[in-house]
Amino acid sequence: MTTPNTEDAAANRKPGRVLVLNSGSSSVKYQLLDMDDRSRLASGLVERIGEETSRLVHTPLAGGGEPRERKGRIADHDEALKAAAEELAADGLGLDSPELAAIGHRVVHGGLRFTEPTVITDEVLKEIERLVPVAPLHNPANITGIRTARALRPDLPQVAVFDTAFHTTMPEYAARYAIDVETADAHRIRRYGFHGTSHAYVSRKAAQLLGKEPADVNVIVLHLGNGASASAVAGGRCVETSMGLTPLEGLVMGTRSGDVDPAVTFHLKRVAGMSADEIDVLLNKKSGLVGLCGDNDMREIRRRVDEGDERAALAFDIYVHRLKKYIGAYSAVLGRVDAVVFTAGVGENSAPVREAAIAGLEELGLAVDADLNAVRSGVPRLISPDYARVAVAVVPTEEELEIATQTFALVDN
């Protein structure tokens, strides 16, 4: 029996790495994953792009390397991605590696056309550009990241994974707003939903936690970060979600108002003389928790609550009240609920939020075990007592892994 040459085996190895890029207006997050075992090889963040205080933090995860930091002006996304590529190359993980199979891009808005991961072509990029009016804060930054990455590796498959795709299974009666149909269709006005990669991943992991197939489980997912959204998932398919035409609708968020009477905008224009742009900034950047109490960090808000701060306590109560409303509403939409699942920064780490959101919902079959809820852990887990009719769970989200998985599945096929 002969032993195969290891160099030949390495040369013949099928590319199995995916670089995931999440380009924001002034930042780029990235992760390099090996899809053979779904391990993370490196991750990084470039922030404050275009400012004198730009910063890149790169962490080589394979082998437990120490984070490296660069400080100093990074002019644009092109320079940011080139700097990230240099850091990856320093770890022997450069973008020119033959093991790199594809680059996966998070794209916030895919409209109705993009219902699944899509290989990026010039025509696809043009369609993403056409969606800028319904995602003016997000799609332009995503487009910039795509163009830069394509210029760096024009030979490599690049895949767009859309935040909205998971929610395209909503029935028409849930997705449409009750406004004139012709006006709505002419201007693409409907509920699209966001955080789709997170809701897809977490709902699937919740089914695994319950020992069932996703098709057999109804789940309410609460993605609670600085941006926050809820979804009702029936048998693995989204049937309702809280964010709408934009990521502004729905839950109370860090700086976004969530649900408000639409007439508030007319009132502010007439009475306060505010322009459309000023109202946009108010509702997206100066509302939510920061508008209510001056803080959008739930840890700081809870510290203030514990010290008797009334503004912080009111902000917390408003936040939790909105969560309860959506849990109740989605319980009605689903009819049967197998689990309520908390995820993302606040959902995974704030025991007081989880406890308060479930408190008083015993008639819906929900309860939280105080001891289980207090445990800090990075793994999926149940926090409900054995007697509860509906499971309550914490499932850490893995959006980059979900993007990489969808990207690799597409290019591998």
Side-chain angles (χ1 to χ4, degrees):
M1 184 175 70
T2 59
T3 302
N5 185 289
T6 55
E7 290 185 3
D8 289 343
N12 293 325
R13 185 185 180 196
K14 193 173 184 179
R17 294 175 181 172
V18 174
L19 177 65
V20 175
L21 294 179
N22 182 353
S23 299
S25 58
S26 61
S27 67
V28 174
K29 295 179 184 177
Y30 62 90
Q31 279 197 17
L32 181 65
L33 298 99
D34 188 332
M35 301 313 296
D36 288 343
D37 59 4
R38 297 193 169 195
S39 62
R40 288 170 176 76
L41 302 176
S43 69
L45 168 65
V46 187
E47 58 184 350
R48 298 192 287 272
I49 295 171
E51 302 179 21
E52 297 301 324
T53 56
S54 301
R55 185 175 75 125
L56 185 158
V57 178
H58 174 87
T59 304
L61 299 172
E66 291 295 319
R68 302 192 296 268
E69 185 173 339
R70 290 192 192 189
K71 291 183 178 180
R73 179 177 171 79
I74 295 175
D76 51 31
H77 285 70
D78 181 67
E79 189 175 327
L81 279 180
K82 287 178 179 176
E86 289 173 3
E87 293 296 333
L88 288 166
D91 297 325
L93 303 169
L95 297 192
D96 58 351
S97 168
E99 293 190 61
L100 188 61
I103 298 177
H105 297 266
R106 179 199 179 205
V107 178
V108 168
H109 215 307
L112 291 180
R113 173 173 173 180
F114 298 113
T115 62
E116 56 189 16
T118 304
V119 174
I120 298 168
T121 63
D122 291 342
E123 180 54 39
V124 167
L125 193 54
K126 287 178 183 177
E127 183 61 24
I128 296 172
E129 289 174 332
R130 292 187 192 107
L131 290 163
V132 166
V134 290
L137 298 177
H138 299 91
N139 272 32
N142 303 152
I143 291 165
T144 299
I146 290 169
R147 284 180 173 151
T148 302
R150 291 181 85 196
L152 286 173
R153 281 298 307 268
D155 59 312
L156 200 65
Q158 314 243 351
V159 175
V161 178
F162 299 91
D163 268 16
T164 50
F166 182 65
H167 304 300
T168 57
T169 57
M170 281 191 293
E172 197 70 357
Y173 56 75
R176 276 201 177 269
Y177 293 110
I179 66 172
D180 174 67
V181 172
E182 291 183 0
T183 301
D185 288 349
H187 301 286
R188 307 188 189 197
I189 299 171
R190 62 188 289 119
R191 173 171 285 109
Y192 292 100
F194 300 90
H195 295 144
T197 53
S198 177
H199 287 278
Y201 177 85
V202 169
S203 59
R204 192 171 64 250
K205 284 293 181 181
Q208 292 177 11
L209 186 62
L210 297 178
K212 299 180 179 181
E213 293 296 321
D216 299 326
V217 174
N218 289 354
V219 181
I220 297 172
V221 178
L222 302 172
H223 176 107
L224 308 180
N226 193 49
S229 61
S231 68
V233 183
R237 294 167 60 86
C238 176
V239 297
E240 179 63 279
T241 192
S242 59
M243 286 179 167
L245 174 71
T246 75
L248 179 59
E249 188 181 0
L251 303 176
V252 176
M253 302 175 227
T255 65
R256 298 176 215 156
S257 63
D259 294 336
V260 295
D261 181 344
V264 167
T265 58
F266 315 139
H267 180 76
L268 289 172
K269 181 176 174 60
R270 286 193 299 263
V271 175
M274 295 177 69
S275 68
D277 287 344
E278 288 172 329
I279 296 171
D280 191 323
V281 170
L282 171 70
L283 296 179
N284 275 291
K285 298 183 178 180
K286 297 182 179 180
S287 296
L289 292 171
V290 79
L292 289 167
C293 70
D295 273 311
N296 65 333
D297 187 323
M298 186 57 73
R299 294 165 297 187
E300 181 63 17
I301 291 170
R302 282 303 311 175
R303 184 191 65 77
R304 289 170 56 185
V305 170
D306 293 341
E307 292 179 355
D309 187 309
E310 293 183 1
R311 281 188 64 191
L314 178 60
F316 183 82
D317 289 345
I318 293 171
Y319 183 93
V320 168
H321 178 69
R322 189 77 56 84
L323 283 176
K324 286 180 182 287
K325 285 176 64 176
Y326 272 89
I327 293 171
Y330 287 0
S331 295
V333 167
L334 290 170
R336 187 199 84 241
V337 180
D338 297 294
V340 173
V341 189
F342 292 87
T343 193
V346 175
E348 294 170 28
N349 297 298
S350 181
V353 165
R354 297 191 297 258
E355 179 183 11
I358 299 300
L361 301 182
E362 289 81 9
E363 290 298 317
L364 297 179
L366 292 161
V368 165
D369 181 289
D371 291 335
L372 294 175
N373 189 38
V375 173
R376 295 183 66 87
S377 172
V379 301
R381 61 200 184 277
L382 295 176
I383 60 170
S384 48
D386 292 339
Y387 64 77
R389 188 172 75 250
V390 178
V392 181
V394 180
V395 176
T397 191
E398 298 278 4
E399 292 179 88
E400 290 81 8
L401 176 58
E402 182 71 12
I403 292 170
T405 300
Q406 293 187 26
T407 295
F408 190 68
L410 181 60
V411 300
D412 195 41
N413 288 331

